[in-house]
PDB file of all heavy atoms in Angstrom:
ATOM      1  N   LEU C  43      46.693 -22.059  33.301  1.00  0.00           N
ATOM      2  CA  LEU C  43      46.489 -22.995  34.388  1.00  0.00           C
ATOM      3  C   LEU C  43      47.220 -24.277  34.042  1.00  0.00           C
ATOM      4  O   LEU C  43      46.976 -24.868  33.005  1.00  0.00           O
ATOM      5  CB  LEU C  43      44.992 -23.264  34.567  1.00  0.00           C
ATOM      6  CG  LEU C  43      44.584 -24.244  35.649  1.00  0.00           C
ATOM      7  CD1 LEU C  43      45.017 -23.728  37.014  1.00  0.00           C
ATOM      8  CD2 LEU C  43      43.082 -24.416  35.636  1.00  0.00           C
ATOM      9  N   THR C  44      48.152 -24.671  34.882  1.00  0.00           N
ATOM     10  CA  THR C  44      48.923 -25.876  34.611  1.00  0.00           C
ATOM     11  C   THR C  44      48.263 -27.063  35.287  1.00  0.00           C
ATOM     12  O   THR C  44      47.932 -27.021  36.456  1.00  0.00           O
ATOM     13  CB  THR C  44      50.359 -25.723  35.145  1.00  0.00           C
ATOM     14  OG1 THR C  44      50.926 -24.558  34.543  1.00  0.00           O
ATOM     15  CG2 THR C  44      51.191 -26.936  34.804  1.00  0.00           C
ATOM     16  N   LEU C  45      48.058 -28.089  34.498  1.00  0.00           N
ATOM     17  CA  LEU C  45      47.446 -29.314  35.003  1.00  0.00           C
ATOM     18  C   LEU C  45      48.447 -30.445  34.891  1.00  0.00           C
ATOM     19  O   LEU C  45      49.330 -30.419  34.036  1.00  0.00           O
ATOM     20  CB  LEU C  45      46.215 -29.670  34.161  1.00  0.00           C
ATOM     21  CG  LEU C  45      45.107 -28.627  34.125  1.00  0.00           C
ATOM     22  CD1 LEU C  45      44.033 -29.053  33.133  1.00  0.00           C
ATOM     23  CD2 LEU C  45      44.509 -28.469  35.491  1.00  0.00           C
ATOM     24  N   GLY C  46      48.297 -31.437  35.686  1.00  0.00           N
ATOM     25  CA  GLY C  46      49.148 -32.612  35.577  1.00  0.00           C
ATOM     26  C   GLY C  46      48.800 -33.387  34.320  1.00  0.00           C
ATOM     27  O   GLY C  46      47.756 -33.193  33.730  1.00  0.00           O
ATOM     28  N   LEU C  47      49.667 -34.261  33.915  1.00  0.00           N
ATOM     29  CA  LEU C  47      49.427 -35.080  32.741  1.00  0.00           C
ATOM     30  C   LEU C  47      48.263 -36.010  33.019  1.00  0.00           C
ATOM     31  O   LEU C  47      48.228 -36.708  34.016  1.00  0.00           O
ATOM     32  CB  LEU C  47      50.686 -35.884  32.415  1.00  0.00           C
ATOM     33  CG  LEU C  47      50.655 -36.700  31.142  1.00  0.00           C
ATOM     34  CD1 LEU C  47      50.530 -35.746  29.947  1.00  0.00           C
ATOM     35  CD2 LEU C  47      51.920 -37.512  31.021  1.00  0.00           C
ATOM     36  N   VAL C  48      47.293 -36.009  32.129  1.00  0.00           N
ATOM     37  CA  VAL C  48      46.122 -36.862  32.269  1.00  0.00           C
ATOM     38  C   VAL C  48      46.414 -38.154  31.525  1.00  0.00           C
ATOM     39  O   VAL C  48      46.788 -38.135  30.373  1.00  0.00           O
ATOM     40  CB  VAL C  48      44.876 -36.172  31.671  1.00  0.00           C
ATOM     41  CG1 VAL C  48      43.648 -37.054  31.831  1.00  0.00           C
ATOM     42  CG2 VAL C  48      44.648 -34.841  32.363  1.00  0.00           C
ATOM     43  N   THR C  49      46.242 -39.274  32.181  1.00  0.00           N
ATOM     44  CA  THR C  49      46.636 -40.532  31.560  1.00  0.00           C
ATOM     45  C   THR C  49      45.650 -40.984  30.499  1.00  0.00           C
ATOM     46  O   THR C  49      44.487 -40.621  30.509  1.00  0.00           O
ATOM     47  CB  THR C  49      46.749 -41.660  32.616  1.00  0.00           C
ATOM     48  OG1 THR C  49      45.447 -41.904  33.125  1.00  0.00           O
ATOM     49  CG2 THR C  49      47.702 -41.302  33.724  1.00  0.00           C
ATOM     50  N   VAL C  50      46.147 -41.797  29.590  1.00  0.00           N
ATOM     51  CA  VAL C  50      45.333 -42.324  28.497  1.00  0.00           C
ATOM     52  C   VAL C  50      44.183 -43.156  29.035  1.00  0.00           C
ATOM     53  O   VAL C  50      43.077 -43.102  28.531  1.00  0.00           O
ATOM     54  CB  VAL C  50      46.217 -43.190  27.567  1.00  0.00           C
ATOM     55  CG1 VAL C  50      45.367 -43.919  26.541  1.00  0.00           C
ATOM     56  CG2 VAL C  50      47.255 -42.343  26.887  1.00  0.00           C
ATOM     57  N   MET C  51      44.417 -43.900  30.076  1.00  0.00           N
ATOM     58  CA  MET C  51      43.394 -44.825  30.554  1.00  0.00           C
ATOM     59  C   MET C  51      42.270 -44.123  31.318  1.00  0.00           C
ATOM     60  O   MET C  51      41.180 -44.640  31.391  1.00  0.00           O
ATOM     61  CB  MET C  51      44.024 -45.909  31.443  1.00  0.00           C
ATOM     62  CG  MET C  51      45.025 -46.766  30.688  1.00  0.00           C
ATOM     63  SD  MET C  51      44.407 -47.413  29.109  1.00  0.00           S
ATOM     64  CE  MET C  51      43.219 -48.591  29.709  1.00  0.00           C
ATOM     65  N   THR C  52      42.502 -42.969  31.907  1.00  0.00           N
ATOM     66  CA  THR C  52      41.430 -42.334  32.672  1.00  0.00           C
ATOM     67  C   THR C  52      40.597 -41.368  31.867  1.00  0.00           C
ATOM     68  O   THR C  52      39.401 -41.329  32.008  1.00  0.00           O
ATOM     69  CB  THR C  52      41.958 -41.604  33.918  1.00  0.00           C
ATOM     70  OG1 THR C  52      42.882 -40.616  33.510  1.00  0.00           O
ATOM     71  CG2 THR C  52      42.586 -42.556  34.897  1.00  0.00           C
ATOM     72  N   THR C  53      41.226 -40.565  31.010  1.00  0.00           N
ATOM     73  CA  THR C  53      40.414 -39.587  30.304  1.00  0.00           C
ATOM     74  C   THR C  53      40.484 -39.689  28.813  1.00  0.00           C
ATOM     75  O   THR C  53      39.778 -38.973  28.137  1.00  0.00           O
ATOM     76  CB  THR C  53      40.797 -38.152  30.712  1.00  0.00           C
ATOM     77  OG1 THR C  53      42.153 -37.948  30.384  1.00  0.00           O
ATOM     78  CG2 THR C  53      40.545 -37.890  32.152  1.00  0.00           C
ATOM     79  N   GLY C  54      41.313 -40.513  28.274  1.00  0.00           N
ATOM     80  CA  GLY C  54      41.285 -40.652  26.837  1.00  0.00           C
ATOM     81  C   GLY C  54      42.638 -40.615  26.190  1.00  0.00           C
ATOM     82  O   GLY C  54      43.550 -41.283  26.633  1.00  0.00           O
ATOM     83  N   PHE C  55      42.774 -39.813  25.152  1.00  0.00           N
ATOM     84  CA  PHE C  55      43.887 -39.915  24.245  1.00  0.00           C
ATOM     85  C   PHE C  55      44.865 -38.769  24.321  1.00  0.00           C
ATOM     86  O   PHE C  55      45.875 -38.791  23.667  1.00  0.00           O
ATOM     87  CB  PHE C  55      43.345 -39.997  22.823  1.00  0.00           C
ATOM     88  CG  PHE C  55      42.409 -41.147  22.683  1.00  0.00           C
ATOM     89  CD1 PHE C  55      41.057 -40.989  22.873  1.00  0.00           C
ATOM     90  CD2 PHE C  55      42.891 -42.404  22.411  1.00  0.00           C
ATOM     91  CE1 PHE C  55      40.207 -42.061  22.765  1.00  0.00           C
ATOM     92  CE2 PHE C  55      42.051 -43.484  22.298  1.00  0.00           C
ATOM     93  CZ  PHE C  55      40.704 -43.312  22.480  1.00  0.00           C
ATOM     94  N   TYR C  56      44.558 -37.757  25.083  1.00  0.00           N
ATOM     95  CA  TYR C  56      45.411 -36.584  25.125  1.00  0.00           C
ATOM     96  C   TYR C  56      45.873 -36.347  26.546  1.00  0.00           C
ATOM     97  O   TYR C  56      45.086 -36.403  27.476  1.00  0.00           O
ATOM     98  CB  TYR C  56      44.652 -35.341  24.653  1.00  0.00           C
ATOM     99  CG  TYR C  56      44.486 -35.290  23.174  1.00  0.00           C
ATOM    100  CD1 TYR C  56      43.396 -35.855  22.551  1.00  0.00           C
ATOM    101  CD2 TYR C  56      45.455 -34.692  22.381  1.00  0.00           C
ATOM    102  CE1 TYR C  56      43.254 -35.813  21.179  1.00  0.00           C
ATOM    103  CE2 TYR C  56      45.323 -34.647  21.008  1.00  0.00           C
ATOM    104  CZ  TYR C  56      44.216 -35.207  20.408  1.00  0.00           C
ATOM    105  OH  TYR C  56      44.093 -35.166  19.054  1.00  0.00           O
ATOM    106  N   GLY C  57      47.163 -36.104  26.713  1.00  0.00           N
ATOM    107  CA  GLY C  57      47.683 -35.649  27.985  1.00  0.00           C
ATOM    108  C   GLY C  57      47.558 -34.135  27.976  1.00  0.00           C
ATOM    109  O   GLY C  57      48.175 -33.476  27.174  1.00  0.00           O
ATOM    110  N   ILE C  58      46.753 -33.599  28.841  1.00  0.00           N
ATOM    111  CA  ILE C  58      46.530 -32.160  28.830  1.00  0.00           C
ATOM    112  C   ILE C  58      47.538 -31.517  29.759  1.00  0.00           C
ATOM    113  O   ILE C  58      47.533 -31.761  30.947  1.00  0.00           O
ATOM    114  CB  ILE C  58      45.096 -31.831  29.273  1.00  0.00           C
ATOM    115  CG1 ILE C  58      44.113 -32.494  28.317  1.00  0.00           C
ATOM    116  CG2 ILE C  58      44.884 -30.337  29.350  1.00  0.00           C
ATOM    117  CD1 ILE C  58      42.708 -32.452  28.777  1.00  0.00           C
ATOM    118  N   LYS C  59      48.414 -30.700  29.196  1.00  0.00           N
ATOM    119  CA  LYS C  59      49.428 -30.049  30.004  1.00  0.00           C
ATOM    120  C   LYS C  59      48.964 -28.692  30.505  1.00  0.00           C
ATOM    121  O   LYS C  59      49.356 -28.270  31.556  1.00  0.00           O
ATOM    122  CB  LYS C  59      50.714 -29.915  29.209  1.00  0.00           C
ATOM    123  CG  LYS C  59      51.349 -31.267  28.940  1.00  0.00           C
ATOM    124  CD  LYS C  59      52.748 -31.134  28.473  1.00  0.00           C
ATOM    125  CE  LYS C  59      53.351 -32.514  28.375  1.00  0.00           C
ATOM    126  NZ  LYS C  59      54.734 -32.479  28.035  1.00  0.00           N
ATOM    127  N   HIS C  60      48.167 -28.002  29.735  1.00  0.00           N
ATOM    128  CA  HIS C  60      47.646 -26.718  30.178  1.00  0.00           C
ATOM    129  C   HIS C  60      46.468 -26.322  29.304  1.00  0.00           C
ATOM    130  O   HIS C  60      46.265 -26.880  28.259  1.00  0.00           O
ATOM    131  CB  HIS C  60      48.720 -25.631  30.111  1.00  0.00           C
ATOM    132  CG  HIS C  60      49.084 -25.241  28.710  1.00  0.00           C
ATOM    133  ND1 HIS C  60      50.016 -25.946  27.987  1.00  0.00           N
ATOM    134  CD2 HIS C  60      48.649 -24.253  27.912  1.00  0.00           C
ATOM    135  CE1 HIS C  60      50.142 -25.388  26.809  1.00  0.00           C
ATOM    136  NE2 HIS C  60      49.322 -24.364  26.724  1.00  0.00           N
ATOM    137  N   PHE C  61      45.695 -25.397  29.806  1.00  0.00           N
ATOM    138  CA  PHE C  61      44.775 -24.740  28.907  1.00  0.00           C
ATOM    139  C   PHE C  61      44.900 -23.260  29.101  1.00  0.00           C
ATOM    140  O   PHE C  61      45.263 -22.766  30.141  1.00  0.00           O
ATOM    141  CB  PHE C  61      43.336 -25.259  28.996  1.00  0.00           C
ATOM    142  CG  PHE C  61      42.624 -25.115  30.297  1.00  0.00           C
ATOM    143  CD1 PHE C  61      41.831 -24.014  30.558  1.00  0.00           C
ATOM    144  CD2 PHE C  61      42.691 -26.110  31.251  1.00  0.00           C
ATOM    145  CE1 PHE C  61      41.129 -23.900  31.735  1.00  0.00           C
ATOM    146  CE2 PHE C  61      41.989 -26.004  32.432  1.00  0.00           C
ATOM    147  CZ  PHE C  61      41.208 -24.897  32.678  1.00  0.00           C
ATOM    148  N   ASP C  62      44.687 -22.559  28.030  1.00  0.00           N
ATOM    149  CA  ASP C  62      45.021 -21.161  27.933  1.00  0.00           C
ATOM    150  C   ASP C  62      43.768 -20.369  27.611  1.00  0.00           C
ATOM    151  O   ASP C  62      43.063 -20.682  26.670  1.00  0.00           O
ATOM    152  CB  ASP C  62      46.032 -21.030  26.790  1.00  0.00           C
ATOM    153  CG  ASP C  62      46.825 -19.752  26.850  1.00  0.00           C
ATOM    154  OD1 ASP C  62      46.562 -18.932  27.736  1.00  0.00           O
ATOM    155  OD2 ASP C  62      47.707 -19.594  25.990  1.00  0.00           O
ATOM    156  N   ALA C  63      43.458 -19.369  28.392  1.00  0.00           N
ATOM    157  CA  ALA C  63      42.271 -18.550  28.140  1.00  0.00           C
ATOM    158  C   ALA C  63      42.591 -17.557  27.044  1.00  0.00           C
ATOM    159  O   ALA C  63      43.363 -16.645  27.236  1.00  0.00           O
ATOM    160  CB  ALA C  63      41.859 -17.820  29.406  1.00  0.00           C
ATOM    161  N   GLU C  64      42.030 -17.783  25.887  1.00  0.00           N
ATOM    162  CA  GLU C  64      42.196 -16.847  24.783  1.00  0.00           C
ATOM    163  C   GLU C  64      41.150 -15.752  24.964  1.00  0.00           C
ATOM    164  O   GLU C  64      40.216 -15.880  25.737  1.00  0.00           O
ATOM    165  CB  GLU C  64      41.987 -17.579  23.450  1.00  0.00           C
ATOM    166  CG  GLU C  64      42.942 -18.740  23.218  1.00  0.00           C
ATOM    167  CD  GLU C  64      44.391 -18.315  23.100  1.00  0.00           C
ATOM    168  OE1 GLU C  64      44.645 -17.171  22.695  1.00  0.00           O
ATOM    169  OE2 GLU C  64      45.260 -19.131  23.413  1.00  0.00           O
ATOM    170  N   ASP C  65      41.275 -14.679  24.264  1.00  0.00           N
ATOM    171  CA  ASP C  65      40.298 -13.607  24.347  1.00  0.00           C
ATOM    172  C   ASP C  65      39.075 -13.913  23.502  1.00  0.00           C
ATOM    173  O   ASP C  65      38.461 -13.022  22.934  1.00  0.00           O
ATOM    174  CB  ASP C  65      40.924 -12.279  23.920  1.00  0.00           C
ATOM    175  CG  ASP C  65      41.900 -11.778  24.963  1.00  0.00           C
ATOM    176  OD1 ASP C  65      41.790 -12.188  26.135  1.00  0.00           O
ATOM    177  OD2 ASP C  65      42.768 -10.982  24.603  1.00  0.00           O
ATOM    178  N   ALA C  66      38.725 -15.180  23.414  1.00  0.00           N
ATOM    179  CA  ALA C  66      37.569 -15.603  22.630  1.00  0.00           C
ATOM    180  C   ALA C  66      36.330 -15.599  23.509  1.00  0.00           C
ATOM    181  O   ALA C  66      36.398 -15.825  24.707  1.00  0.00           O
ATOM    182  CB  ALA C  66      37.805 -17.006  22.093  1.00  0.00           C
ATOM    183  N   GLN C  67      35.223 -15.306  22.897  1.00  0.00           N
ATOM    184  CA  GLN C  67      33.943 -15.326  23.598  1.00  0.00           C
ATOM    185  C   GLN C  67      32.916 -15.978  22.702  1.00  0.00           C
ATOM    186  O   GLN C  67      32.995 -15.909  21.492  1.00  0.00           O
ATOM    187  CB  GLN C  67      33.469 -13.914  23.926  1.00  0.00           C
ATOM    188  CG  GLN C  67      34.362 -13.165  24.857  1.00  0.00           C
ATOM    189  CD  GLN C  67      33.813 -11.773  25.124  1.00  0.00           C
ATOM    190  OE1 GLN C  67      32.833 -11.352  24.538  1.00  0.00           O
ATOM    191  NE2 GLN C  67      34.459 -11.064  26.013  1.00  0.00           N
ATOM    192  N   VAL C  68      31.939 -16.613  23.329  1.00  0.00           N
ATOM    193  CA  VAL C  68      30.793 -17.109  22.589  1.00  0.00           C
ATOM    194  C   VAL C  68      29.557 -16.556  23.272  1.00  0.00           C
ATOM    195  O   VAL C  68      29.588 -16.221  24.454  1.00  0.00           O
ATOM    196  CB  VAL C  68      30.724 -18.656  22.545  1.00  0.00           C
ATOM    197  CG1 VAL C  68      31.876 -19.222  21.775  1.00  0.00           C
ATOM    198  CG2 VAL C  68      30.677 -19.252  23.934  1.00  0.00           C
ATOM    199  N   GLN C  69      28.488 -16.470  22.552  1.00  0.00           N
ATOM    200  CA  GLN C  69      27.239 -15.983  23.137  1.00  0.00           C
ATOM    201  C   GLN C  69      26.379 -17.179  23.516  1.00  0.00           C
ATOM    202  O   GLN C  69      26.182 -18.092  22.727  1.00  0.00           O
ATOM    203  CB  GLN C  69      26.468 -15.119  22.120  1.00  0.00           C
ATOM    204  CG  GLN C  69      27.160 -13.837  21.787  1.00  0.00           C
ATOM    205  CD  GLN C  69      27.150 -12.861  22.959  1.00  0.00           C
ATOM    206  OE1 GLN C  69      26.255 -12.868  23.786  1.00  0.00           O
ATOM    207  NE2 GLN C  69      28.171 -12.037  23.014  1.00  0.00           N
ATOM    208  N   GLU C  70      25.869 -17.176  24.705  1.00  0.00           N
ATOM    209  CA  GLU C  70      24.891 -18.171  25.119  1.00  0.00           C
ATOM    210  C   GLU C  70      23.715 -17.378  25.654  1.00  0.00           C
ATOM    211  O   GLU C  70      23.841 -16.724  26.687  1.00  0.00           O
ATOM    212  CB  GLU C  70      25.464 -19.092  26.196  1.00  0.00           C
ATOM    213  CG  GLU C  70      24.460 -20.134  26.643  1.00  0.00           C
ATOM    214  CD  GLU C  70      25.043 -21.061  27.668  1.00  0.00           C
ATOM    215  OE1 GLU C  70      25.734 -21.997  27.259  1.00  0.00           O
ATOM    216  OE2 GLU C  70      24.797 -20.846  28.865  1.00  0.00           O
ATOM    217  N   THR C  71      22.630 -17.396  24.969  1.00  0.00           N
ATOM    218  CA  THR C  71      21.484 -16.516  25.206  1.00  0.00           C
ATOM    219  C   THR C  71      21.998 -15.083  25.285  1.00  0.00           C
ATOM    220  O   THR C  71      22.569 -14.595  24.342  1.00  0.00           O
ATOM    221  CB  THR C  71      20.656 -16.956  26.438  1.00  0.00           C
ATOM    222  OG1 THR C  71      21.460 -16.930  27.611  1.00  0.00           O
ATOM    223  CG2 THR C  71      20.078 -18.331  26.264  1.00  0.00           C
ATOM    224  N   THR C  72      21.885 -14.427  26.439  1.00  0.00           N
ATOM    225  CA  THR C  72      22.357 -13.043  26.527  1.00  0.00           C
ATOM    226  C   THR C  72      23.634 -12.913  27.336  1.00  0.00           C
ATOM    227  O   THR C  72      24.140 -11.830  27.537  1.00  0.00           O
ATOM    228  CB  THR C  72      21.274 -12.151  27.179  1.00  0.00           C
ATOM    229  OG1 THR C  72      21.003 -12.659  28.479  1.00  0.00           O
ATOM    230  CG2 THR C  72      20.016 -12.133  26.340  1.00  0.00           C
ATOM    231  N   GLN C  73      24.176 -14.035  27.793  1.00  0.00           N
ATOM    232  CA  GLN C  73      25.354 -14.007  28.667  1.00  0.00           C
ATOM    233  C   GLN C  73      26.611 -14.348  27.870  1.00  0.00           C
ATOM    234  O   GLN C  73      26.629 -15.295  27.089  1.00  0.00           O
ATOM    235  CB  GLN C  73      25.159 -15.024  29.795  1.00  0.00           C
ATOM    236  CG  GLN C  73      26.284 -15.063  30.777  1.00  0.00           C
ATOM    237  CD  GLN C  73      26.057 -16.147  31.818  1.00  0.00           C
ATOM    238  OE1 GLN C  73      25.172 -16.969  31.691  1.00  0.00           O
ATOM    239  NE2 GLN C  73      26.865 -16.138  32.847  1.00  0.00           N
TER     240      GLN C  73
END
């Protein structure tokens, strides 16, 4: 999923260009 550059002043210190769904999973209760 491609996102626009997030500015330092609105969300913090990182410009997020994308996030990638890895095949990672975590357990939360039974889901």
Side-chain angles (χ1 to χ4, degrees):
L43 179 62
T44 303
L45 300 174
L47 185 64
V48 181
T49 66
V50 172
M51 297 310 290
T52 59
T53 60
F55 303 92
Y56 284 90
I58 300 170
K59 292 194 174 185
H60 70 275
F61 61 93
D62 200 357
E64 301 295 333
D65 288 338
Q67 297 180 354
V68 294
Q69 293 290 331
E70 180 178 278
T71 60
T72 60
Q73 182 183 10

